[in-house]
Amino acid sequence: MTGAQAIVKCLIKEGVDTVFGYPGGTILPLYDALYGSPVRHVLTVHEQGAAHAADGYARASGQAGVCIATSGPGATNLVTGLAAAFMDSVPVVAITGQVQTSLIGRDAFQEIDITGITMPITKHNFLVKDISKLTDTLRRAFSIARSGRPGPVLVDIPRDIQANTHDFSDLETEYSRQSLVRQSPDLPALISKAAAAVSAAERPVIIAGGGCINASAGQALAKFSEQCALPVVTTLMGIGALPGRHPNLLGMTGLHGLKQANHAVHAADVLIVTGSRFNDRVTGDRARYAAGKTIIHIDIDPAEVHKNVDAAVPLVGEMNGILTALTREVVPGDLSAWWATIRDWQAACQLPVSEDELSAAGVMAALNTQLAGEDVIYVTDVGQHQMWAAQDLKVNSQRGFLTSGGLGAMGFGLPAALGAQMARPDKRVIHIVGDGSLKMTGCELYTVAAERLPIISIVINNQSLGMVRQLQHCFFEKRYSASLLPAPMDFTAFAGAFGIPAAVANTPDEFSQILKTAWERQGPSLLVANIATQDLVIPMIAPGGAMDSYVDI
C-alpha cells in the first residue's frame, strides 16, 4: 500500500475517528487516502483552527486529538495551537506534509523546517525520510503524546513518502498501548511522610491543578478531601476536578482567584499540591508563597518537582494511586477551627450580582441557574471573560471547563469548542468569548454551521480588549492605548452570515430569555451580552505580591 494509506490504517488502529485539517499540495496523497475511509475529516477555516480543534477534542475526550496541514504556511499556522497544547499538557498529534525528500534543504516551494520551528513547543517531533519507518514512527508519536505527562507530537512526512508504496506488514502486529509512568523509587516511604504531615496539620489545603484533570483523578481527590475534611482550591487548569457545588471546594486560587481561596492558601501550614507546576499566576511572590508551609507536591513529571517551589515531600507517580494511598494512611484531625475561619472568609467575600444591570457575573449566574441539571462543557477564550467564568461558573464534571491556561491564546475558544462538541456529542458545549477574542478565529462559525454543531457561543461584549484595558487602568495611569474598540461590531449580522441565529441582551432578564431560547433550539446559536466597558475582574493580586496582597481597583 502507499504511505498515505498506511497512515490512515495507523490512525484507525490508534482509535482515531475524527481529524481536523486543511489540504494543500504536499499533503494531498494523505487526503486522497482519507477519501472514503472511516476516519471523519473536519475541514476548518484555518489551520490554527484545526490545531485548537484537535486540542479541544483531546481535552474533552481524554484521547489524542489529530490535526493535519500541508507544508510551509499550513504547517506554520499550526504553531500557536501546538504551543497552547504543549503548555497545558494536551495530547495532540499533528501530521504535516513536506516537500519530497530530494528537495529538502533546497528552498523548494513551501518548504519549511517545521520540526526545527516546533522543537521547543512539542513533546517530540519527527521528520520521516525512510518509508519503512513510517508506521513505527506514527505509533511512537501517539505513545509519546499520551504517555506520562501528555503533550503534542508533530510528524512531518514528505510527499514522496506518502505516495510511494511499501510492504507495511508490521501494521498487522499487535502492540501495547500501556503508558509508562516514572515514580519516586522510595514512593511508599514518601507517602507515609506526607500522610504524617497532613495528619498533624492544623490548616491544610489541597490545590488541584490541571494534572488532576489529565489523570482523571477527581473521584480519588473527592474521597481524600471528604474523608480527611480537607478544603480544596483549584488552579485555572484544575477547575472541574471537584464538582462546582462541592462543600469542600473554595474556588479558584491565584492572580484573579477568589479571596477565600487565596486567604486559605496564604494561611495554610500544609499544602497538598496535585498536578500543578506552581505557575507565576498561581503563586505571586514564590518566596512568600512557600514561607512557613510544608509543601507536598504530587506530579507525574519529575521535571516539575522543585522547579518553581521546593517541596518538602515530592511524590512523583500516578496520581490516583498516590491519592488513594494518602487517603488510607492519613489520620483525620480536628479541623473545625480551620473550617470556621474559612466559612467566615466565604461569607465576607460574597459579591452581590445586580438584578438591573447586565454584567459578566450575571451571565454566569444565569448559566448556573438555568443549566444546573444539564451536562455541559464550558469552553472559554482568553481575557476578562475567561476569569469571570473561572471565578463564577459551577462546573460539575472533570473535563467540563476547557481554556488556554499556560499560553493564554486569544482565538482558542471557538475552534476548541467545536473540537470538544465533536468529541462529546452527548454533551452540550457552551462557548464563552470576548468581543476581542471572537475577531481572531470567529470565522470558524462557518465550520460550526457546516457540521451542524449545537454550540451556544456567548459574547461578553464590552467594546474593548478588556484585560489589556484593565492592566492599563491599573498600571498605566488609565492610558488606554489600542485597547478600546469604538467601532461597534454587529455580531448578530456576523453570525447570520453563517446562517447561525443570534440575539442580543442588555439586561439580566433579556439574557435569561435568549439563553432559554438558544438551549431549546438545539442547533448553533450566538448570544451577545452587552456589559459596561468599565467592569473589571476583581480581586487581583498585586504583581509580585503575596496571596493576600490585592490591587486597589
Side-chain angles (χ1 to χ4, degrees):
M1 68 181 71
T2 67
Q5 291 168 331
I7 294 169
V8 174
K9 293 280 188 182
C10 283
L11 293 175
I12 293 170
K13 291 201 73 170
E14 293 292 343
V16 175
D17 57 11
T18 304
V19 298
F20 305 87
Y22 203 99
T26 64
I27 200 68
L28 278 183
L30 176 55
Y31 271 83
D32 187 64
L34 283 169
Y35 187 83
S37 83
V39 178
R40 182 180 186 181
H41 178 272
V42 178
L43 176 65
T44 55
V45 175
H46 191 280
E47 291 91 351
Q48 181 181 346
H52 288 319
D55 183 331
Y57 185 99
R59 295 187 200 225
S61 67
Q63 305 300 315
V66 178
C67 56
I68 301 174
T70 194
S71 62
T76 58
N77 282 341
L78 297 177
V79 167
T80 297
L82 293 176
F86 180 72
M87 296 191 73
D88 289 345
S89 304
V90 180
V92 169
V93 174
I95 299 173
T96 53
Q98 183 56 275
V99 300
Q100 65 187 54
T101 52
S102 62
L103 294 177
I104 292 176
R106 298 177 180 272
D107 294 331
F109 176 67
Q110 291 192 335
E111 179 192 1
I112 201 77
D113 179 12
I114 194 61
T115 55
I117 289 171
T118 60
M119 188 175 293
I121 56 165
T122 52
K123 192 175 175 185
H124 199 78
N125 61 31
F126 301 90
L127 170 59
V128 182
K129 287 187 170 182
D130 183 344
I131 195 170
S132 68
K133 298 179 180 178
L134 176 60
T135 53
D136 184 61
T137 299
L138 285 167
R139 288 175 177 176
R140 289 177 63 198
F142 278 93
S143 177
I144 292 168
R146 297 181 180 122
S147 295
R149 179 180 182 172
V153 177
L154 181 139
V155 185
D156 197 30
I157 309 175
R159 194 182 195 281
D160 54 316
I161 299 296
Q162 300 171 53
N164 292 344
T165 57
H166 181 73
D167 177 13
F168 292 103
S169 56
D170 62 332
L171 271 170
E172 304 307 316
T173 304
E174 292 300 320
Y175 59 98
S176 173
R177 294 184 186 172
Q178 288 185 343
S179 174
L180 299 177
V181 178
R182 297 169 65 182
Q183 67 177 39
S184 305
D186 50 351
L187 188 58
L190 287 171
I191 288 174
S192 295
K193 182 179 178 181
V198 176
S199 300
E202 296 180 357
R203 299 178 306 281
V205 174
I206 298 173
I207 299 179
C212 199
I213 304 293
N214 286 342
S216 298
Q219 187 172 354
L221 176 73
K223 187 173 181 180
F224 181 43
S225 169
E226 291 162 3
Q227 183 166 312
C228 303
L230 301 173
V232 178
V233 303
T234 76
T235 67
L236 176 66
M237 299 307 301
I239 292 172
L242 277 190
R245 292 177 173 83
H246 193 287
N248 289 8
L249 182 64
L250 310 186
M252 183 179 70
T253 184
L255 178 69
H256 291 295
L258 300 181
K259 282 190 174 182
Q260 62 264 27
N262 285 344
H263 289 335
V265 171
H266 183 70
D269 58 356
V270 174
L271 291 180
I272 307 102
V273 183
T274 62
S276 171
R277 59 179 178 266
F278 293 105
N279 181 275
D280 58 293
R281 292 294 183 97
V282 170
T283 65
D285 182 282
R286 290 192 175 106
R288 283 188 279 179
Y289 183 84
K293 295 177 175 60
T294 298
I295 294 179
I296 300 164
H297 191 179
I298 306 172
D299 208 287
I300 200 167
D301 185 357
E304 288 300 331
V305 175
H306 308 307
K307 185 178 82 174
N308 290 323
V309 173
D310 285 334
V313 189
L315 302 176
V316 177
E318 195 277 318
M319 190 173 298
N320 277 286
I322 292 172
L323 288 174
T324 299
L326 282 173
T327 305
R328 186 168 54 247
E329 292 198 30
V330 169
V331 178
D334 180 6
L335 300 178
S336 56
W338 179 223
W339 272 109
T341 300
I342 289 171
R343 296 308 183 204
D344 287 343
W345 285 330
Q346 287 179 311
C349 295
Q350 294 297 318
L351 296 175
V353 177
S354 173
E355 296 182 0
D356 301 316
E357 296 182 2
L358 186 58
S359 65
V363 170
M364 307 311 157
L367 290 167
N368 289 335
T369 299
Q370 294 179 232
L371 306 184
E374 305 293 348
D375 202 0
V376 299
I377 296 175
Y378 291 106
V379 183
T380 84
D381 216 286
V382 171
Q384 283 182 314
H385 67 277
Q386 176 191 32
M387 294 298 103
W388 282 317
Q391 289 177 339
D392 295 332
L393 284 176
K394 302 300 182 185
V395 179
N396 294 320
S397 62
Q398 295 182 78
R399 304 188 183 280
F401 184 84
L402 315 183
T403 195
S404 176
L407 188 65
M410 289 178 67
F412 167 88
L414 182 57
L418 75 89
Q421 188 67 82
M422 299 202 75
R424 298 302 307 265
D426 56 319
K427 296 176 180 278
R428 191 80 180 268
V429 171
I430 308 296
H431 164 228
I432 301 172
V433 64
D435 49 323
S437 294
L438 187 63
K439 294 183 179 77
M440 291 207 168
T441 54
C443 283
E444 294 299 345
L445 286 174
Y446 174 90
T447 313
V448 171
E451 297 293 335
R452 300 181 178 87
L453 301 176
I455 296 168
I456 300 176
S457 289
I458 300 173
V459 184
I460 307 298
N461 181 29
N462 59 4
Q463 297 188 49
S464 70
L465 304 179
M467 191 57 80
V468 175
R469 181 191 176 279
Q470 176 160 338
L471 294 172
Q472 291 169 336
H473 177 91
C474 295
F475 307 117
F476 293 88
E477 299 179 351
K478 302 180 183 178
R479 294 160 62 89
Y480 304 126
S481 177
S483 60
L484 301 180
L485 305 174
M489 178 172 172
D490 187 343
F491 291 104
T492 58
F494 182 67
F498 305 105
I500 294 177
V504 179
N506 294 293
T507 68
D509 286 345
E510 288 176 356
F511 181 78
S512 293
Q513 183 56 53
I514 65 174
L515 175 61
K516 180 176 183 293
T517 301
W519 184 266
E520 292 172 349
R521 182 179 293 117
Q522 292 300 312
S525 298
L526 184 138
L527 310 180
V528 183
N530 290 325
I531 69 169
T533 303
Q534 295 75 24
D535 286 357
L536 301 176
V537 181
I538 55 173
M540 182 178 182
I541 296 290
M547 296 302 290
D548 63 345
S549 174
Y550 296 98
V551 177
D552 184 12
I553 52 177

